[in-house]
Amino acid sequence: QVQFVESGGGLVQPGGSLRLSCAASASNLDSTTIGWFRQAPGKERGGVSCINWVDGRTEYVNSVKGRFTISRDNVKNTVSLQMNNLRPGDTGVYYCGTTRRCGRGLVEASMYNIWGQGTQVTVSS
């Protein structure tokens, strides 16, 4: 099972931007869809965005549409999440993982994910 190492989090004011990155341990990610997930304090981990490794199709949950952009680098085996116009509600620990559903507004994690440490994003004034 592929594993990921996340980076790029930090403290930012509302309206600010951050760029997250995750590096995959596997060299062959074909037939894989990779997503970003976040866990806010006291809440369950939920999907944010996902991308198909082969064709680059993307999906976003409604709360981040128009603000976040997911991308992948097939050479470096990395997936990035550009987050703009950040809000306090975006605060949480962000993780990368494979998905079992990516589309029609759904970003659902695979049950086989081995979660990394994630990267903390705090949006506060």
Side-chain angles (χ1 to χ4, degrees), residues 7 12 23 47 78 99 119:
S7 62
V12 64
T78 58
T99 68
T119 186

Side-chain angles (χ1 to χ4, degrees), residues 49-71:
S49 179
C50 51
I51 187 166
N52 184 289
W53 191 256
V54 174
D55 62 20
R57 285 182 297 170
T58 60
E59 187 61 70
Y60 301 89
V61 296
N62 285 337
S63 61
V64 307
K65 282 182 180 178
R67 300 188 298 123
F68 291 10
T69 302
I70 191 171
S71 59

Side-chain angles (χ1 to χ4, degrees), residues 1-36:
Q1 180 70 10
V2 63
Q3 293 181 266
F4 301 93
V5 177
E6 302 90 352
S7 62
L11 172 64
V12 64
Q13 293 186 343
S17 298
L18 282 174
R19 185 175 180 86
L20 307 183
S21 182
C22 76
S25 62
S27 59
N28 185 1
L29 296 174
D30 290 351
S31 75
T32 299
T33 302
I34 298 171
W36 280 96

Side-chain angles (χ1 to χ4, degrees), residues 3 26 33 35-36 41 48 51 71-72 83 85 87 90 96 106:
Q3 293 181 266
T33 302
W36 280 96
V48 175
I51 187 166
S71 59
R72 91 271 194 226
M83 306 187 297
N85 192 19
R87 305 167 179 170
D90 296 318
C96 271
L106 297 176

